[in-house]
Amino acid sequence: MDLFSLPRLGVVVPPENPTAEPEFNHLLGAGMNVYTARFPVTPGAGLRAMLETYNEVLPALLGSFGALRLDAAVVACSASHYLLEPDGDRAFCEELSGRAGFPVYSSTQAILAACEALGATRLTLVSPYEPWLTDTSRAFWERAGLTVDGVVSVPAEEAAPDGDARYDPYAVTTGTVLRRLRERELPAGTALLFTGTGMGTLAALTELARQEPHRTLLTSNLASAWWARRLVGERDEAHHPLLRRLEGAGV
């Protein structure tokens, strides 16, 4: 196999995100080369200000790939695009694609494309976010025309020093995800959407796929990998079973 003849996917991730690149590599396997750029560190900025900064610097950050020929790029940060609402997100991705010279999608647009292809209209959100950002996420999906049946909040395993829930997608464990879901009775027709690119999900989804083989399971990274394969016209069987499962569902 000629390694350098493979399709090339650019991925833009937050600086501390430990999850996106490993999950993309596990999902895509040897079928696509993945190249990454990272958003800048924003010392002292609150969460909203940090996310707004990501949107401001994104055009220049995509330019940092230089003359590297990419077939597509994914912005692997759902939270910053929730701030734009669906129409603004779509327009921003179109603008970025025109400037970059290759298709650019956000993980949020990839999820919407997967929902449309699947005919999925109802979601239950599995969210590691702070409450205000979870509410922003929910509003995004509802404004996009989807019904949100409910939210399963997934805080970090360790509480804050004052005993309150601590929200950190990077500190959520597989055990916490599965336990929180076991505590809820989920509607039969709802798709599970694990929002955010930084919460590790592959182990939890593998177990859920075994338990509920007919339920639609979506994550920011899984939908983005599906979109990338679809864009480049990949015909070979997907490397990872969760991606094969999604593609086998008629997507």
Side-chain angles (χ1 to χ4, degrees):
M1 178 180 62
D2 182 0
L3 181 64
F4 297 105
S5 68
L6 295 172
R8 295 175 174 178
L9 176 67
V11 179
V12 181
V13 300
E16 295 91 359
N17 186 321
T19 306
E21 291 109 322
E23 287 201 348
F24 272 95
N25 284 318
H26 276 282
L27 289 166
L28 294 169
M32 192 174 295
N33 289 331
V34 177
Y35 303 88
T36 59
R38 304 189 90 80
F39 285 111
V41 177
T42 53
L47 178 56
R48 182 181 287 274
M50 179 186 73
L51 298 175
E52 290 171 345
T53 297
Y54 288 174
N55 288 335
E56 291 169 4
V57 303
L58 184 53
L61 192 56
L62 284 167
S64 71
F65 285 108
L68 176 65
R69 180 192 60 79
L70 296 177
D71 294 284
V74 169
V75 185
C77 181
S78 303
S80 56
H81 288 255
Y82 288 140
L83 301 182
L84 303 174
E85 302 190 353
D87 288 344
D89 184 21
R90 186 177 301 107
F92 192 30
C93 290
E94 290 174 356
E95 176 189 344
L96 292 169
S97 299
R99 294 175 65 163
F102 49 79
V104 178
Y105 243 39
S106 59
S107 55
T108 41
Q109 288 300 307
I111 291 167
L112 287 173
C115 286
E116 182 179 3
L118 276 170
T121 60
R122 294 170 52 203
L123 303 175
T124 292
L125 303 183
V126 183
S127 174
Y129 295 142
E130 296 178 12
W132 75 266
L133 187 51
T134 294
D135 292 343
T136 302
S137 169
R138 178 172 190 155
F140 180 98
W141 302 116
E142 290 176 338
R143 290 189 179 108
L146 299 168
T147 298
V148 178
D149 290 323
V151 176
V152 179
S153 179
V154 186
E157 184 73 20
E158 295 183 4
D162 60 4
D164 290 342
R166 181 170 66 92
Y167 295 95
D168 180 355
Y170 309 146
V172 172
T173 66
T174 297
T176 300
V177 171
L178 293 175
R179 184 174 68 253
R180 289 277 177 162
L181 287 170
R182 283 195 299 267
E183 294 170 352
R184 293 286 295 272
E185 184 173 348
L186 302 173
T190 192
L192 282 182
L193 171 57
F194 297 73
T195 183
T197 64
M199 178 173 63
T201 59
L202 295 188
L205 260 67
T206 298
E207 176 63 18
L208 291 169
R210 184 188 65 80
Q211 295 174 0
E212 298 193 68
H214 301 296
R215 189 181 295 279
T216 299
L217 303 174
L218 291 169
T219 78
S220 299
N221 294 335
L222 180 60
S224 297
W226 163 81
W227 171 78
R229 279 176 49 85
R230 186 173 182 174
L231 180 80
V232 302
E234 183 60 62
R235 302 297 183 187
D236 292 340
E237 183 178 64
H239 168 75
H240 197 280
L242 289 171
L243 197 49
R244 291 199 299 271
R245 182 181 188 269
L246 187 61
E247 293 180 346
V251 180

